[in-house]
């Protein structure tokens, strides 16, 4: 395939595998799948015609940024902009999906409480819980490593989780959930 240019190889290897991500972003911003496909194809043509692709460190991010800009331009050129589309693309640039400071602090406090409770737990229960929940070992492997029966592993796990749940509830740090039946169906509310 000596007739392929470097940009063609780059497009095939780095850009085209992510075409669904580009179309999803364009569709979310424009609200129209056909327009989204056109935007993505225009971006491909622009990349193939230019030389800036050589400077791209992260090809997927590079193309996503161009798709974002072209989609926003398309929306701005429309005579009527639906409110939900405006909110979608204005919120994309500034949205932070990470936990806030309160969630970070409360999560740390709850983790410290779990470690304190684990320290006061019977040795076998603590070992089984740590192997299962922290090390993510299957029950058969835990039984093999500790030299105990699989049923015994399950008993230690149940006992340890019961102790952990009870002591966390006594501290008031367990986030309890309540199921509410409404006219629309079931909903889960945090208390």
């Amino acid at each position: 395939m000596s007739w392929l240019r470097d940009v063609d190889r780059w497009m095939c290897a780095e850009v085209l595998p992510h075409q669904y991500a580009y179309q999803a972003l364009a569709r979310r911003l424009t609200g129209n799948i056909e327009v989204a496909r056109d935007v993505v194809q225009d971006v491909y043509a622009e990349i193939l015609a230019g030389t800036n692709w050589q400077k791209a460190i992260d090809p997927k991010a590079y193309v996503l940024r161009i798709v974002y800009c072209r989609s926003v331009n398309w929306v701005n050129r429309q005579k009527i902009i639906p409110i939900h589309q405006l909110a979608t693309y204005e919120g994309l640039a500034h949205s932070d999906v990470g936990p806030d400071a309160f969630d970070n602090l409360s999560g740390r406090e709850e983790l410290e409480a779990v470690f304190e409770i684990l320290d006061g737990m019977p040795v076998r229960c603590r070992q089984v819980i740590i192997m299962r929940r922290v090390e993510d070992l299957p029950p058969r492997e835990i039984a093999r490593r500790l030299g105990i029966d699989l049923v015994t592993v399950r008993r230690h796990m149940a006992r340890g989780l019961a102790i952990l749940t009870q002591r966390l509830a006594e501290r008031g740090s367990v986030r309890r959930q309540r199921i509410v039946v409404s006219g629309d169906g079931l909903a889960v509310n945090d208390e």
Side-chain angles (χ1 to χ4, degrees), residues 35-187:
V35 171
R37 288 179 181 146
D38 288 343
V39 166
V40 171
Q41 291 302 315
D42 290 344
V43 168
Y44 290 164
E46 182 181 331
I47 291 170
L48 289 171
T51 60
N52 288 339
W53 65 272
Q54 295 170 333
K55 299 175 188 172
I57 296 170
D58 183 357
K60 181 180 178 185
Y62 173 72
V63 176
L64 280 172
R65 176 51 67 182
I66 297 172
V67 168
Y68 173 82
C69 292
R70 297 304 170 263
S71 298
V72 169
N73 288 344
W74 181 87
V75 170
N76 287 337
R77 284 193 309 266
Q78 301 308 301
K79 291 182 180 178
I80 299 172
I81 302 173
I83 296 298
H84 71 309
Q85 286 177 344
L86 185 65
T88 299
Y89 80 79
E90 284 180 349
L92 272 176
H94 306 291
S95 63
D96 182 14
V97 295
D100 60 7
F102 177 77
D103 287 339
N104 280 334
L105 182 62
S106 63
R108 260 190 240 126
E109 288 175 352
E110 196 160 338
L111 188 59
E112 289 173 6
V114 168
F115 282 128
E116 286 176 21
I117 294 169
L118 282 173
D119 286 340
M121 204 178 276
V123 176
R124 281 291 190 198
C125 290
R126 180 177 59 240
Q127 288 174 330
V128 169
I129 287 179
I130 290 173
M131 288 176 151
R132 183 72 180 124
R133 298 294 179 182
V134 177
E135 297 175 17
D136 200 26
L137 293 175
R140 289 189 192 280
E141 178 62 20
I142 296 170
R144 188 190 66 74
R145 285 189 183 185
L146 295 177
I148 58 177
D149 190 37
L150 185 61
V151 174
T152 308
V153 169
R154 291 194 173 122
R155 284 187 191 143
H156 285 303
M157 187 71 186
R159 182 174 175 215
L161 289 176
I163 292 169
L164 186 63
T165 304
Q166 178 188 5
R167 292 189 185 159
L168 281 173
E170 289 169 0
R171 290 176 179 231
S173 62
V174 170
R175 295 179 186 156
R176 297 186 190 126
Q177 292 185 341
R178 178 173 49 117
I179 297 178
V180 178
V181 178
S182 65
D184 301 89
L186 295 178

